[in-house]
């Protein structure tokens, strides 16, 4: 969420920042609401002052025995009390409207985010590894004989489209990947392993920006809980509503959870295989930092995610997202795209984003500076470390053999107890 004071002080600068997001004259309706809200607050305060003055006069008229003046002043106090209630109710309503408007606006992009319309304008900043060569036409993951344990037909019977049932060696490989990612992040990257719920309240989804704008992208239960689209929601909200000491920072979490997305608006997109599912698993990283450390922290987190792919010896490239492809809550995002031989292209497997204080303002998450002074908002960052299902796809496709088997990457063999599927 945005600081209304900054919009008041520099509406032109705010409009220029929102124009990079495709929004014109964003400050105009905001400042109109803000002016009306402040006018209502002023009216309430003025009426309260008049009420206080009249109340004193009521006592004086009573003491003087002036019954007519006493009744007139008492009626005036009652009328003023009603005006105060009306003005306060109007101010409260306008404040709620202003908050909703501010919550519906995306984050301000970092200056180094390239301008662009969509993913074709993203900028490649790194390429690691060489795509493998095959002496046979490489198959997509769901076509590989060793991956016959991926069952879409049974999943469709149970749940419908965009679900999968995994069984046998491929299910074990999926589990091994999640276990390896957690172990790697804890032992190599110093993250704190965390287990969180997958059902959350409205406040948690509001805090990280899924609500109110993206309600259709998530699932809600009949009693009002939301199924998390990512553990970013739960991990980030650990600090919601808290004022922590500066030496509490940074906090670096990692969690392996089920995730749920309705995939609204994706009809007909990536319908084959496991690339785009309603239910999937992800190992998510979240950092809560001092504002001065958040830029370096994003690069550290990016290295954590890249390190998983390097340990698995999977070719990838890293791109900086352009303005038109950067998500609602992010100031800057790097996508890591893994090579998929079956599709002969790179596909996203991780996004690492910094949000600045955008989420912290929504959650009211602050820290007390060690040197004293007013509490400040923390900065929050998130990144996939990695999406388990997509990593499974990458392993199956990059390690497939001509006979239909799949070689198990070296780092996974202690989890699998075998070298081949």
């Amino acid at each position: 969420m945005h600081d209304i004071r900054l919009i008041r002080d520099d509406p032109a600068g705010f409009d220029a920042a929102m124009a990079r997001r495709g929004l014109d004259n964003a400050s105009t309706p905001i400042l109109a609401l803000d002016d009306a809200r402040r006018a209502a607050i002023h009216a309430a305060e003025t009426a309260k002052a008049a009420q206080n003055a009249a109340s004193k006069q009521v006592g004086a008229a009573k003491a003087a025995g002036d019954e007519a003046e006493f009744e007139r002043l008492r009626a005036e106090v009652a009328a003023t009390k009603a005006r105060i209630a009306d003005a306060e109710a109007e101010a409260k309503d306008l404040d709620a409207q202003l908050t909703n408007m501010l919550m519906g606006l995306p984050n301000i992009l970092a200056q180094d985010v390239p301008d662009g319309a969509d993913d074709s304008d993203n900028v490649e900043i790194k390429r690691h590894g060489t795509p493998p060569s095959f002496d046979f036409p490489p198959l997509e993951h769901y076509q590989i004989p060793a991956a016959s344990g991926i069952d879409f037909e049974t999943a469709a019977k149970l749940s419908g489209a965009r679900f999968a049932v995994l069984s046998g060696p491929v299910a074990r490989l999926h589990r091994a990947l999640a276990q390896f990612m957690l172990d790697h992040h804890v032992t190599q990257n110093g993250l704190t392993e965390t287990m969180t719920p997958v059902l959350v309240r409205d406040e948690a989804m509001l805090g990280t920006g899924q609500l109110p704008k993206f309600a259709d992208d998530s699932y809600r239960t009949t009693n009002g809980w939301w199924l998390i689209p990512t553990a970013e929601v739960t991990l980030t909200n650990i600090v919601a509503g808290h004022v922590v000491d500066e030496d509490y920072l940074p906090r670096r979490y990692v969690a392996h959870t089920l995730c749920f997305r309705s995939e609204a608006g994706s009809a007909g997109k990536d319908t084959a295989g496991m690339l785009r599912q309603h239910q999937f698993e992800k190992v998510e990283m979240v950092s809560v930092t001092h504002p001065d450390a958040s830029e370096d922290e994003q690069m550290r987190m990016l290295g954590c995610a890249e390190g998983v792919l390097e340990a698995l010896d999977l070719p990838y490239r890293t791109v900086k997202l352009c303005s038109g492809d950067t998500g609602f809550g992010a100031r800057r995002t790097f996508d890591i795209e893994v090579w998929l031989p079956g599709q002969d292209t790179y596909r996203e497997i991780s996004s690492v984003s910094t949000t600045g204080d955008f989420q912290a303002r929504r959650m009211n998450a602050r820290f007390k500076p060690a040197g004293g002074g007013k509490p400040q908002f923390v900065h929050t960052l998130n990144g996939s470390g990695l999406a388990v299902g997509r990593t499974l796809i990458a392993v199956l496709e990059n390690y497939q053999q001509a006979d239909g088997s799949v070689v198990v990457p070296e780092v996974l063999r202690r989890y699998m107890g075998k070298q081949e599927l």
Side-chain angles (χ1 to χ4, degrees), residues 57-58 61-62 66-76:
Q57 294 172 351
V58 167
K62 183 71 172 177
D66 188 341
E67 193 64 28
E69 181 66 2
F70 171 76
E71 292 297 336
R72 185 189 71 79
L73 289 169
R74 190 166 69 168
E76 181 180 327

Side-chain angles (χ1 to χ4, degrees), residues 372-393:
K374 293 176 62 176
Q376 299 177 31
F377 288 105
V378 300
H379 279 198
T380 59
L381 305 94
N382 61 81
S384 308
L386 304 161
V388 181
R390 291 197 173 196
T391 310
L392 174 69
I393 292 170

Side-chain angles (χ1 to χ4, degrees), residues 62-350:
K62 183 71 172 177
D66 188 341
E67 193 64 28
E69 181 66 2
F70 171 76
E71 292 297 336
R72 185 189 71 79
L73 289 169
R74 190 166 69 168
E76 181 180 327
V77 169
T80 304
K81 185 176 181 180
R83 290 202 306 274
I84 293 171
D86 290 343
E88 288 180 338
E90 182 183 6
K92 184 177 180 180
D93 179 64
L94 290 168
D95 185 66
Q97 291 183 48
L98 180 61
T99 298
N100 287 336
M101 185 174 290
L102 290 172
M103 281 196 165
L105 292 172
N107 203 348
I108 293 174
L109 297 168
Q111 290 186 352
D112 64 330
V113 171
D115 289 324
D118 52 39
D119 59 4
S120 64
D121 294 317
N122 294 340
V123 177
E124 182 177 316
I125 62 171
K126 178 181 180 180
R127 192 171 288 216
H128 178 89
T130 302
S133 297
F134 297 92
D135 55 8
F136 60 92
L139 303 176
E140 292 199 55
H141 61 284
Y142 56 89
Q143 300 169 325
I144 298 170
S148 61
I150 303 176
D151 185 348
F152 299 108
E153 184 176 344
T154 299
K157 179 181 69 175
L158 296 172
S159 306
R162 296 191 189 274
F163 291 91
V165 171
L166 304 184
S167 62
V170 74
R172 190 173 182 184
L173 178 59
H174 187 274
R175 174 165 57 87
L177 282 165
Q179 183 69 56
F180 161 69
M181 291 175 194
L182 281 175
D183 288 347
H184 182 85
H185 286 309
V186 170
T187 61
Q188 301 299 313
N189 299 326
L191 308 188
T192 300
E193 184 174 353
T194 312
M195 177 66 73
T196 67
V198 296
L199 291 166
V200 295
R201 297 174 174 172
D202 289 356
E203 293 83 357
M205 296 284 278
L206 282 163
T208 46
Q210 278 74 26
L211 295 180
K213 191 174 180 64
F214 302 104
D216 289 344
D217 293 336
S218 296
Y219 292 108
R220 194 179 195 187
T221 65
T222 55
N223 63 353
W225 282 326
W226 293 88
L227 288 163
I228 61 168
T230 164
E232 170 198 345
V233 175
T234 46
L235 293 175
T236 308
N237 273 280
I238 288 173
V239 294
H242 290 299
V243 180
V244 300
D245 291 332
E246 184 175 335
D247 61 8
Y248 176 89
L249 306 174
R251 273 310 199 246
R252 294 166 174 154
Y253 303 107
V254 63
H256 167 226
T257 65
L258 285 167
C259 304
F260 304 87
R261 292 182 185 171
S262 69
E263 295 295 343
S266 66
K269 186 176 182 180
D270 294 329
T271 55
M274 290 178 58
L275 268 171
R276 195 176 293 274
Q277 300 276 282
H278 291 307
Q279 174 186 310
F280 57 97
E281 294 181 31
K282 188 147 68 86
V283 172
E284 182 75 1
M285 305 178 292
V286 162
S287 288
V288 182
T289 74
H290 189 286
D292 294 344
S294 64
E295 291 294 297
D296 290 340
E297 186 68 12
Q298 186 178 22
M299 301 312 297
R300 188 200 66 79
M301 291 180 72
L302 182 63
C304 290
E306 291 173 339
V308 174
L309 290 173
E310 291 170 17
L312 291 166
D313 199 19
L314 292 172
Y316 69 87
R317 70 173 194 154
T318 302
V319 299
K320 181 187 286 187
L321 300 196
C322 71
S323 57
D325 201 29
T326 301
F328 175 83
R331 280 179 46 79
R332 181 197 302 110
T333 297
F334 295 100
D335 270 8
I336 305 172
E337 300 175 349
V338 68
W339 177 256
L340 296 184
Q343 294 192 10
D344 194 34
T345 191
Y346 289 95
R347 297 298 300 261
E348 179 205 334
I349 198 166
S350 173

